[in-house]
Amino acid sequence: MSSKLQALNEWVDQVATQTRASRIHWCDGSDAENERLIAEMLDSGDLEKLNPDTHPDCYLHRSDPDDVARVEHLTFVCTERKEDAGPNNNWMAPAEAHALMNGLFAGCMEGRTLYVVPYCMGPIDSPLSRCGVEITDSPYVVANMRLMTRMGSAALTRIERDGTFVKGLHSTGELDPDRRYIMHFPEELSIQSFGSGYGGNALLGKKCHALRIASYQARTEGWLAEHMLIVGIENPEGEVRYIAGAFPSACGKTNLAMLIPPAAYREAGWKVWTVGDDICWLHPGEDGRLWAINPEAGFFGVAPGTSAKTNPNAMAMLDRETIFTNVAVTDDNQPWWEGLDDRVPAKDWRGRDFDPGQGPAAHPNSRFTVSISRCPSYSDQAENPDGVPIDAILFGGRRATLAPLVLEAEDWVHGVLLGAGMASETTAAATGQVGVVRRDPMAMKPFCGYNFGDYWAHWLDVGSRLTRPPKIFQVNWFRRDAEGRFIWPGFADNMRVLEWVLGRCRGELSARETAVGRLPEQGGINLAGLSSAPDMASLLEVDHDDWIEELQAIDKHLSNYGDGVPKALKDVLGSVQSRIRPG
Ligand code: SAT
Ligand code: MN
């Protein structure tokens, strides 16, 4: 097979020659193709079948133990000018990066099949969608891309029509951490990834295309590619309003995206609809609003902590047609992870007999891959080619102190400052130390394909073109008390904060003005039905001394990004600083 697009055929031929691939397979995305691939992976040991009675069509993949998370220190943005990549990215000159990658890819597919994976990010018929082709030698990547994107013949037809696509070249190589690189060439709309089979490093449609390359492309085309969930909230009158929310990896985006409201809300008629859990492309519409699509078609969610209590919708979709990566298994071969229930697993994520002395049974970054259409709260608007209109944007982090439960920005520019100043404790989604507070602007620190200074200027530019911009809020579900316990119950109860947010958007609720932004009035957050009232005074406190330090730290952080940082952002910071007094 080949395509009607000459440029695509030539690229595939060139890669096949370079990598000396033994076979070429053009993926059509069909069930028959998937079944064949799964059978091959069961044979090769890439996959194990899970209990077919409890989990039909579910499989377990065990990664190389050194290949279980994104590798930010080996991820590069290769622009001609170093300033264009910015201090937020590792940079390498394109010529140097190409020379390095050419050396790694030479002959790397000898004896292997080269899969050509055409995919579309976003609904196939949406003008907001963009396509790519991933060449990979990993059947695991093919099976995951089939769940995570619109993959196969329909995407290829669109690519042939568009005449353009993002080129992604991937090989697992030898899975040697010393021969591992994830390279982005935004000016060429191309990605090259070698030496890892892990999600964010290898499923190139996700972070590599839909965030790093797309954010760069979005800047030139006047839209935003963001690390955000998209959720629709239906009120008792049947009106649905949409919220987009940026949170760093492993901070509960998936749980929030498929939240089931607390009983008191459900009884009153509130519903939550899932549009996306990780990535959001935002386009200014002709009506002056911001319209969002989810470029993905599936979830690559964190397994540990997912349970009937924290995310019942996820549990309902994970019992069939799911690929699990690095989870543990019970003695009757069901997938298991910490926080699921009180069973004791038989084998850990590495396939060893479970021994609590050797650490957690499931890897802390173990994942499930499942089609979004299996989600019980899947929104009927998720396939709308126009996207959904966004009323509110949330910027959230994981912060034990300082950041209140919710804080509303005064306007778009102040909201962009809240996003730019975001900080969060690190998680297991990336290799490195866990639990250290780091600045993670718009939760895009690992994913913005260009200089943050230019990125914030672009945010301001997009805002200036909106006559009905969404309101922007900062949220923090993770505040802790003196004993280190979470103060806010989180999960389903985050609905209470969303209700306040939407009440503000509709202009129905008043707010308390503070030096750093608008907070709920006393009693403003609906606590009906909670068995014990959380300490709202602590959750909504604004400690001036802490904030003075925080604003100084934000000032310093902004100045790391040089001359491109918009003056308007520094002016708002200055005006917040001038309002706040010690004590
Ligand atoms: O980077 S992944 O897509 O593998 C997951 C994440 O970190 O959000
Ligand atoms: Mn993510």
Side-chain angles (χ1 to χ4, degrees), residues 69-70 198-201 203 206-207 212 227 248-250 253 278 296 300 302 365 367 429-430 447:
R70 279 182 292 102
Y198 170 76
N201 303 328
L203 311 179
K206 197 171 174 60
K207 309 293 187 178
R212 296 194 192 95
H227 190 203
S249 300
K253 284 210 302 299
D278 195 39
E296 302 193 277
F300 185 64
V302 179
N365 193 37
R367 299 271 171 168
F447 307 122

Coordinates of all heavy atoms in Angstrom, one line a residue, residues 69-70 198-201 203 206-207 212 227 248-250 253 278 296 300 302 365 367 429-430 447, ligand 1:
A69 N 8.5 6.7 32.3 CA 8.0 8.1 32.4 C 8.6 8.9 31.4 O 9.5 8.5 30.7 CB 8.3 8.6 33.8
R70 N 8.0 10.2 31.2 CA 8.6 11.1 30.3 C 10.0 11.5 30.8 O 10.3 11.5 32.0 CB 7.8 12.4 30.2 CG 6.6 12.2 29.2 CD 5.8 13.5 29.1 NE 5.1 13.8 30.3 CZ 5.5 14.7 31.1 NH1 6.6 15.5 30.9 NH2 4.8 14.9 32.2
Y198 N 7.7 4.5 26.2 CA 6.7 5.1 27.1 C 5.8 6.1 26.5 O 6.3 7.0 25.7 CB 7.4 5.7 28.4 CG 6.4 6.4 29.2 CD1 5.5 5.7 30.0 CD2 6.3 7.8 29.2 CE1 4.6 6.4 30.8 CE2 5.4 8.5 29.9 CZ 4.5 7.8 30.7 OH 3.5 8.4 31.4
G199 N 4.6 6.1 26.9 CA 3.5 7.0 26.5 C 4.0 8.4 25.9 O 4.1 8.6 24.7
G200 N 4.3 9.3 26.8 CA 4.6 10.7 26.4 C 5.8 10.8 25.5 O 6.0 11.8 24.8
N201 N 6.7 9.8 25.6 CA 7.9 9.8 24.7 C 7.6 9.2 23.4 O 8.4 9.4 22.4 CB 9.0 9.0 25.4 CG 9.4 9.5 26.8 OD1 9.3 10.7 27.0 ND2 9.8 8.6 27.6
L203 N 4.1 7.9 22.1 CA 2.8 8.2 21.4 C 2.9 9.6 20.9 O 2.5 10.5 21.6 CB 1.6 8.0 22.3 CG 1.7 6.7 23.2 CD1 0.5 6.6 24.1 CD2 1.7 5.5 22.2
K206 N 0.4 12.8 21.1 CA 0.0 13.3 22.4 C 0.8 14.6 22.7 O 0.6 15.6 22.2 CB 0.1 12.3 23.5 CG -0.7 12.6 24.7 CD -0.8 11.4 25.7 CE -1.4 11.7 27.0 NZ -2.8 12.2 26.9
K207 N 1.8 14.5 23.7 CA 2.5 15.7 24.1 C 3.4 16.3 23.0 O 3.5 17.5 22.9 CB 3.4 15.4 25.3 CG 2.7 14.6 26.4 CD 1.6 15.5 27.1 CE 1.1 14.7 28.3 NZ 0.1 15.4 29.1
R212 N 3.6 20.3 22.0 CA 4.9 21.0 21.6 C 4.8 21.6 20.2 O 5.0 22.8 20.0 CB 6.1 20.2 21.8 CG 6.3 19.8 23.3 CD 7.7 19.2 23.6 NE 7.6 18.6 24.9 CZ 7.4 17.3 25.2 NH1 7.3 16.5 24.2 NH2 7.4 16.8 26.4
H227 N -2.5 22.3 27.8 CA -2.5 21.1 28.6 C -3.7 21.2 29.6 O -3.6 21.4 30.8 CB -1.2 21.0 29.4 CG -0.9 19.7 30.1 ND1 -0.1 19.6 31.2 CD2 -1.4 18.5 29.8 CE1 0.0 18.4 31.6 NE2 -0.8 17.7 30.8
P248 N -0.8 20.3 36.1 CA 0.3 19.5 35.8 C -0.1 18.0 35.7 O -1.1 17.6 36.3 CB 1.3 19.8 36.9 CG 0.9 21.1 37.5 CD -0.6 21.1 37.3
S249 N 0.8 17.2 35.1 CA 0.5 15.8 35.0 C 0.3 15.2 36.4 O 1.0 15.6 37.3 CB 1.7 15.1 34.3 OG 1.9 15.6 33.0
A250 N -0.6 14.2 36.5 CA -0.9 13.5 37.7 C -1.4 14.4 38.9 O -1.0 14.2 40.0 CB 0.4 12.7 38.1
K253 N -6.5 15.6 36.7 CA -7.2 16.1 35.6 C -8.3 15.1 35.1 O -9.4 15.4 34.8 CB -6.4 16.5 34.3 CG -5.6 17.8 34.5 CD -5.3 18.5 33.2 CE -4.5 17.7 32.2 NZ -3.2 17.3 32.7
D278 N -7.0 15.9 29.0 CA -5.5 16.2 29.0 C -5.1 17.4 28.1 O -4.3 18.2 28.5 CB -4.7 15.0 28.7 CG -3.2 15.1 29.0 OD1 -2.9 15.7 30.1 OD2 -2.4 14.6 28.2
E296 N -7.6 14.7 21.3 CA -7.4 13.2 21.5 C -8.7 12.5 21.4 O -9.8 13.0 21.4 CB -6.8 13.0 22.9 CG -5.5 13.7 23.1 CD -4.8 13.2 24.3 OE1 -5.1 13.7 25.4 OE2 -3.9 12.4 24.1
F300 N -5.1 8.4 28.5 CA -3.9 7.7 28.9 C -3.7 8.1 30.4 O -3.0 9.0 30.7 CB -2.7 8.1 28.1 CG -1.4 7.4 28.4 CD1 -1.3 6.0 28.1 CD2 -0.3 8.1 28.8 CE1 -0.1 5.4 28.4 CE2 0.9 7.4 29.1 CZ 1.0 6.1 28.9
V302 N -3.5 8.0 34.7 CA -2.7 7.4 35.8 C -3.6 6.4 36.6 O -4.7 6.7 37.0 CB -2.3 8.5 36.8 CG1 -1.5 7.9 38.0 CG2 -1.5 9.5 36.1
N365 N 3.5 5.6 38.2 CA 3.1 6.2 36.9 C 2.5 5.2 36.0 O 2.5 5.3 34.8 CB 4.3 7.0 36.2 CG 3.8 7.9 35.1 OD1 2.7 8.5 35.2 ND2 4.6 7.9 34.0
R367 N -0.4 3.2 33.9 CA -1.4 3.9 33.1 C -2.4 3.0 32.6 O -2.2 1.8 32.4 CB -0.7 4.6 32.0 CG 0.3 5.7 32.4 CD -0.3 7.0 32.5 NE 0.6 8.0 33.1 CZ 0.3 9.3 33.1 NH1 -0.8 9.7 32.5 NH2 1.1 10.2 33.6
A429 N 4.9 11.5 37.1 CA 4.7 11.4 35.6 C 6.0 11.7 34.8 O 6.1 11.4 33.7 CB 3.6 12.4 35.2
A430 N 6.9 12.4 35.5 CA 8.2 12.6 34.8 C 9.3 12.0 35.8 O 9.1 11.9 37.0 CB 8.5 14.0 34.6
F447 N 5.9 21.2 28.1 CA 5.2 21.0 26.8 C 5.1 22.2 25.9 O 4.6 22.0 24.7 CB 3.7 20.5 27.1 CG 3.6 19.3 28.0 CD1 3.0 19.4 29.2 CD2 4.3 18.2 27.7 CE1 2.9 18.3 30.1 CE2 4.2 17.1 28.6 CZ 3.5 17.1 29.7
Ligands
SAT1 O1 3.3 12.4 29.1 S1 2.3 11.4 29.1 O2 1.4 11.6 28.0 O3 2.8 10.1 29.0 C1 1.4 11.5 30.5 C2 1.5 12.8 31.2 O4 2.6 13.1 31.8 O5 0.6 13.6 31.3

